[in-house]
Amino acid sequence: MSELVTTSHDGPVAVVTIERPERRNAVDSATASALADAIEDADADPTVSVLVLTGAGRSFCAGADLQALAAGDRADLSAGSGATGRGPMGPTRLRTAKPVVAAIEGPAVAGGLELALWADLRVAASDATFGVYCRRFGVPLVDLGTVRLPRLIGHSRAMDLILTGRGIDGVEAERIGLVNRVTEPGEALTTAVLLAHDLAALPQTCLRNDRASAIEQWDLSWDDATAREWQLGVETITSGETLDGAARFSSGSGRHGAAATPPISPSP
């Protein structure tokens, strides 16, 4: 059997690919496990700064493999009951230390939509398709789709998609805030990798700590979120990265929105 999930490297960018194009990259239990393993391995790799998640061929992910489900393939329903760890689609409850960019061509529907929502940023082709297509089959959103979608695009728009199950293209997805970048068909992965390299070139301690604060604040009260932001900010400052940045700014680098010179000692 060929690999269900592969990982390739482009410098500091790891591209994790679901390799089931014949099933539009639908995820069965074995693929979910392989995908979570690949994400965890890339996140732990000290040479990797940013992850890109995509699907082979012209599909991102058509959701859970319902044919496999009908044939007896069963996910461990208890595994996804907690707030962290793995979900039925694989990595949807993992909190990576590094940013994840989803590169979306074709369908990102049902559980595939939930995988896209799990990423920090989404780059989609204009003709990509997003939708809660599982609505018509009585398959619930159990990979945090009902949680992340309202938080990303607002309750009213999320209810439209969740209740109707209608599909939208990449253009509408960008208009309502579901997608961050729209590309010509066939260009989503190239654009996502370029975006990942842009992120990888930035001071990594500051980027990761600010990202962590923005994610963790959803779980915290205002006072606790304020304290956590301060804690992570002080950690960044004491790392030496802020002083290095101030020195580069003083030397004329990165002013007025221009690209800054790379940090003297990039974070691992």
Side-chain angles (χ1 to χ4, degrees), residues 236-250 264:
T236 298
I237 293 168
T238 57
S239 74
E241 200 170 78
T242 301
L243 183 60
D244 173 65
R248 289 185 291 119
F249 177 82
S250 296
I264 294 173

Side-chain angles (χ1 to χ4, degrees), residues 75-93:
D76 180 3
L77 296 180
S78 65
S81 61
T84 59
R86 299 185 176 196
M89 292 293 293
T92 49
R93 283 169 172 74

Side-chain angles (χ1 to χ4, degrees), residues 106-131:
V109 298
L113 173 61
E114 293 181 293
L115 280 177
L117 296 174
W118 168 75
D120 295 285
L121 299 172
R122 284 151 293 281
V123 176
S126 59
D127 62 351
T129 302
F130 299 85

Side-chain angles (χ1 to χ4, degrees), residues 22-264:
E22 73 285 356
R23 303 298 286 270
R24 296 194 303 168
N25 298 316
V27 171
D28 60 7
S29 59
T31 306
S33 180
L35 182 57
D37 286 345
I39 293 293
E40 289 182 327
D41 288 347
D43 194 42
D45 187 338
T47 70
V48 171
S49 295
V50 183
L51 287 65
V52 173
L53 173 62
T54 194
R58 291 286 296 162
S59 298
F60 178 71
C61 176
D65 188 337
L66 298 187
Q67 293 185 40
L69 178 64
D73 183 54
R74 297 289 187 270
D76 180 3
L77 296 180
S78 65
S81 61
T84 59
R86 299 185 176 196
M89 292 293 293
T92 49
R93 283 169 172 74
L94 297 177
R95 285 193 173 180
T96 61
K98 300 163 186 177
V100 180
V101 181
I104 301 161
E105 299 277 353
V109 298
L113 173 61
E114 293 181 293
L115 280 177
L117 296 174
W118 168 75
D120 295 285
L121 299 172
R122 284 151 293 281
V123 176
S126 59
D127 62 351
T129 302
F130 299 85
V132 186
Y133 279 14
C134 49
R135 175 62 53 239
R136 67 196 71 176
F137 301 113
V139 178
L141 296 171
V142 289
D143 282 271
L144 299 178
T146 63
V147 179
R148 291 191 174 111
L149 190 60
R151 291 183 178 189
L152 281 175
I153 67 174
H155 188 82
S156 179
R157 282 177 165 146
M159 285 298 100
D160 180 12
L161 298 181
I162 290 170
L163 297 180
T164 68
R166 74 181 181 92
I168 61 174
D169 63 15
V171 175
E172 183 174 355
E174 193 276 336
R175 180 175 62 79
I176 66 175
L178 177 54
V179 163
N180 303 93
R181 307 280 194 280
V182 178
T183 73
E184 293 296 321
E187 295 297 319
L189 180 57
T190 297
T191 302
V193 170
L194 289 173
L195 174 58
H197 277 285
D198 287 344
L199 298 181
L202 296 169
Q204 291 296 294
T205 298
C206 186
L207 180 145
R208 294 177 194 175
N209 282 347
D210 282 358
R211 171 182 176 270
S213 180
I215 292 171
E216 292 172 16
Q217 59 87 23
W218 288 106
D219 304 329
L220 303 174
S221 68
W222 179 268
D223 288 346
D224 288 342
T226 300
R228 182 58 172 157
E229 181 192 66
W230 180 255
Q231 177 188 12
L232 289 169
V234 169
E235 180 182 303
T236 298
I237 293 168
T238 57
S239 74
E241 200 170 78
T242 301
L243 183 60
D244 173 65
R248 289 185 291 119
F249 177 82
S250 296
S251 69
S253 173
R255 295 187 180 184
H256 309 295
T261 56
I264 294 173

Side-chain angles (χ1 to χ4, degrees), residues 3-10 13-19 34-35 37-43 45 48 51-52:
E3 289 187 83
L4 299 171
V5 176
T6 61
T7 302
S8 61
H9 293 81
D10 185 349
V13 177
V15 179
V16 178
T17 305
I18 305 171
E19 297 280 1
L35 182 57
D37 286 345
I39 293 293
E40 289 182 327
D41 288 347
D43 194 42
D45 187 338
V48 171
L51 287 65
V52 173

